Short mmCIF file of all heavy atoms in Angstrom, two decimals:
data_model
loop_
_atom_site.label_atom_id
_atom_site.label_comp_id
_atom_site.label_asym_id
_atom_site.label_seq_id
_atom_site.Cartn_x
_atom_site.Cartn_y
_atom_site.Cartn_z
N HIS A 375 -28.69 38.93 22.02
CA HIS A 375 -28.36 37.78 21.17
C HIS A 375 -28.79 38.06 19.76
O HIS A 375 -29.53 38.99 19.47
CB HIS A 375 -29.05 36.52 21.70
CG HIS A 375 -30.52 36.48 21.44
ND1 HIS A 375 -31.05 35.88 20.31
CD2 HIS A 375 -31.57 37.00 22.12
CE1 HIS A 375 -32.36 36.02 20.34
NE2 HIS A 375 -32.71 36.71 21.40
N GLY A 376 -28.29 37.25 18.85
CA GLY A 376 -28.65 37.32 17.46
C GLY A 376 -29.13 35.97 16.96
O GLY A 376 -30.01 35.38 17.56
N HIS A 377 -28.51 35.48 15.89
CA HIS A 377 -28.68 34.18 15.30
C HIS A 377 -29.95 34.04 14.46
O HIS A 377 -29.89 33.44 13.38
CB HIS A 377 -28.60 33.04 16.33
CG HIS A 377 -28.67 31.67 15.74
ND1 HIS A 377 -27.71 31.21 14.90
CD2 HIS A 377 -29.58 30.68 15.89
CE1 HIS A 377 -28.02 29.97 14.53
NE2 HIS A 377 -29.16 29.63 15.11
N THR A 378 -31.08 34.54 14.89
CA THR A 378 -32.34 34.28 14.21
C THR A 378 -32.59 35.22 13.01
O THR A 378 -33.50 34.97 12.22
CB THR A 378 -33.53 34.42 15.16
OG1 THR A 378 -33.61 35.79 15.57
CG2 THR A 378 -33.40 33.49 16.35
N HIS A 379 -31.80 36.27 12.89
CA HIS A 379 -32.00 37.30 11.83
C HIS A 379 -33.38 37.90 11.93
O HIS A 379 -33.95 38.33 10.90
CB HIS A 379 -31.76 36.70 10.44
CG HIS A 379 -30.35 36.25 10.19
ND1 HIS A 379 -29.50 36.94 9.38
CD2 HIS A 379 -29.63 35.21 10.68
CE1 HIS A 379 -28.32 36.34 9.33
NE2 HIS A 379 -28.39 35.28 10.14
N ALA A 380 -33.95 37.94 13.11
CA ALA A 380 -35.26 38.54 13.35
C ALA A 380 -35.15 39.44 14.58
O ALA A 380 -34.88 38.96 15.67
CB ALA A 380 -36.33 37.47 13.55
N HIS A 381 -35.33 40.74 14.38
CA HIS A 381 -35.20 41.67 15.50
C HIS A 381 -36.34 41.46 16.51
O HIS A 381 -37.41 40.98 16.14
CB HIS A 381 -35.17 43.13 15.03
CG HIS A 381 -36.50 43.66 14.59
ND1 HIS A 381 -37.10 43.27 13.42
CD2 HIS A 381 -37.33 44.55 15.18
CE1 HIS A 381 -38.25 43.91 13.30
NE2 HIS A 381 -38.42 44.68 14.35
N GLY A 382 -36.07 41.81 17.73
CA GLY A 382 -37.11 41.73 18.74
C GLY A 382 -36.65 42.29 20.08
O GLY A 382 -35.46 42.42 20.33
N VAL A 383 -37.62 42.62 20.91
CA VAL A 383 -37.36 43.05 22.26
C VAL A 383 -38.51 42.55 23.10
O VAL A 383 -39.69 42.65 22.69
CB VAL A 383 -37.18 44.59 22.36
CG1 VAL A 383 -38.39 45.35 21.88
CG2 VAL A 383 -36.78 45.02 23.75
N GLU A 384 -38.19 41.95 24.24
CA GLU A 384 -39.22 41.33 25.08
C GLU A 384 -38.81 41.47 26.53
O GLU A 384 -37.68 41.15 26.90
CB GLU A 384 -39.31 39.84 24.72
CG GLU A 384 -40.08 39.02 25.71
CD GLU A 384 -39.84 37.53 25.59
OE1 GLU A 384 -38.76 37.10 25.13
OE2 GLU A 384 -40.74 36.78 26.02
N ALA A 385 -39.73 41.98 27.37
CA ALA A 385 -39.49 42.03 28.80
C ALA A 385 -40.07 40.79 29.45
O ALA A 385 -41.21 40.40 29.15
CB ALA A 385 -40.13 43.29 29.41
N ARG A 386 -39.26 40.14 30.31
CA ARG A 386 -39.73 38.96 31.03
C ARG A 386 -39.12 39.02 32.41
O ARG A 386 -37.89 39.03 32.55
CB ARG A 386 -39.26 37.70 30.30
CG ARG A 386 -40.32 36.67 30.20
CD ARG A 386 -40.07 35.54 29.25
NE ARG A 386 -38.80 34.85 29.36
CZ ARG A 386 -38.11 34.41 28.35
NH1 ARG A 386 -38.54 34.63 27.11
NH2 ARG A 386 -36.99 33.78 28.52
N GLY A 387 -39.98 39.09 33.41
CA GLY A 387 -39.45 39.30 34.77
C GLY A 387 -38.79 40.65 34.82
O GLY A 387 -39.34 41.62 34.34
N GLY A 388 -37.62 40.72 35.34
CA GLY A 388 -36.88 41.97 35.39
C GLY A 388 -35.84 42.10 34.30
O GLY A 388 -34.98 42.97 34.35
N THR A 389 -35.91 41.27 33.27
CA THR A 389 -34.90 41.23 32.22
C THR A 389 -35.54 41.48 30.87
O THR A 389 -36.65 41.06 30.60
CB THR A 389 -34.20 39.83 32.21
OG1 THR A 389 -33.62 39.60 33.50
CG2 THR A 389 -33.13 39.75 31.15
N VAL A 390 -34.77 42.20 30.01
CA VAL A 390 -35.21 42.46 28.65
C VAL A 390 -34.32 41.71 27.69
O VAL A 390 -33.10 41.82 27.72
CB VAL A 390 -35.18 43.97 28.35
CG1 VAL A 390 -35.57 44.24 26.89
CG2 VAL A 390 -36.11 44.72 29.29
N ARG A 391 -34.94 40.90 26.84
CA ARG A 391 -34.22 40.16 25.78
C ARG A 391 -34.21 41.06 24.54
O ARG A 391 -35.24 41.57 24.13
CB ARG A 391 -34.93 38.86 25.48
CG ARG A 391 -34.28 38.02 24.37
CD ARG A 391 -35.19 36.90 23.90
NE ARG A 391 -36.45 37.40 23.32
CZ ARG A 391 -36.57 37.85 22.07
NH1 ARG A 391 -35.53 37.91 21.27
NH2 ARG A 391 -37.74 38.29 21.63
N VAL A 392 -33.03 41.23 23.93
CA VAL A 392 -32.89 42.06 22.77
C VAL A 392 -32.18 41.30 21.65
O VAL A 392 -31.07 40.80 21.85
CB VAL A 392 -32.07 43.33 23.06
CG1 VAL A 392 -31.92 44.21 21.81
CG2 VAL A 392 -32.67 44.12 24.21
N ASN A 393 -32.82 41.20 20.51
CA ASN A 393 -32.20 40.71 19.29
C ASN A 393 -32.17 41.87 18.32
O ASN A 393 -33.24 42.37 17.95
CB ASN A 393 -32.97 39.54 18.72
CG ASN A 393 -32.31 38.89 17.53
OD1 ASN A 393 -31.57 39.53 16.78
ND2 ASN A 393 -32.57 37.61 17.33
N PRO A 394 -30.98 42.33 17.91
CA PRO A 394 -30.92 43.50 17.01
C PRO A 394 -31.42 43.17 15.59
O PRO A 394 -31.73 44.06 14.85
CB PRO A 394 -29.45 43.86 16.98
CG PRO A 394 -28.75 42.57 17.24
CD PRO A 394 -29.62 41.83 18.22
N GLY A 395 -31.49 41.88 15.27
CA GLY A 395 -31.79 41.48 13.90
C GLY A 395 -30.51 41.08 13.22
O GLY A 395 -29.53 40.69 13.85
N GLY A 396 -30.47 41.15 11.94
CA GLY A 396 -29.29 40.80 11.16
C GLY A 396 -29.60 41.00 9.71
O GLY A 396 -30.60 41.60 9.34
N LEU A 397 -28.71 40.48 8.86
CA LEU A 397 -28.98 40.59 7.43
C LEU A 397 -30.22 39.80 7.06
O LEU A 397 -30.48 38.74 7.66
CB LEU A 397 -27.80 40.00 6.66
CG LEU A 397 -26.51 40.81 6.69
CD1 LEU A 397 -25.39 40.05 6.00
CD2 LEU A 397 -26.70 42.16 5.99
N PRO A 398 -30.98 40.28 6.08
CA PRO A 398 -32.13 39.50 5.61
C PRO A 398 -31.65 38.19 4.99
O PRO A 398 -30.66 38.17 4.27
CB PRO A 398 -32.80 40.40 4.60
CG PRO A 398 -32.00 41.61 4.44
CD PRO A 398 -30.84 41.53 5.39
N ILE A 399 -32.34 37.11 5.30
CA ILE A 399 -32.05 35.81 4.70
C ILE A 399 -33.38 35.23 4.23
O ILE A 399 -34.43 35.56 4.76
CB ILE A 399 -31.30 34.86 5.66
CG1 ILE A 399 -32.11 34.61 6.96
CG2 ILE A 399 -29.90 35.37 5.99
CD1 ILE A 399 -31.53 33.58 7.87
#
Side-chain angles (χ1 to χ4, degrees):
H375 73 94
H377 184 62
T378 65
H379 295 252
H381 75 288
V383 60
E384 166 197 27
R386 224 166 52 218
T389 302
V390 176
R391 179 193 62 80
V392 179
N393 185 331
L397 289 174
I399 58 173

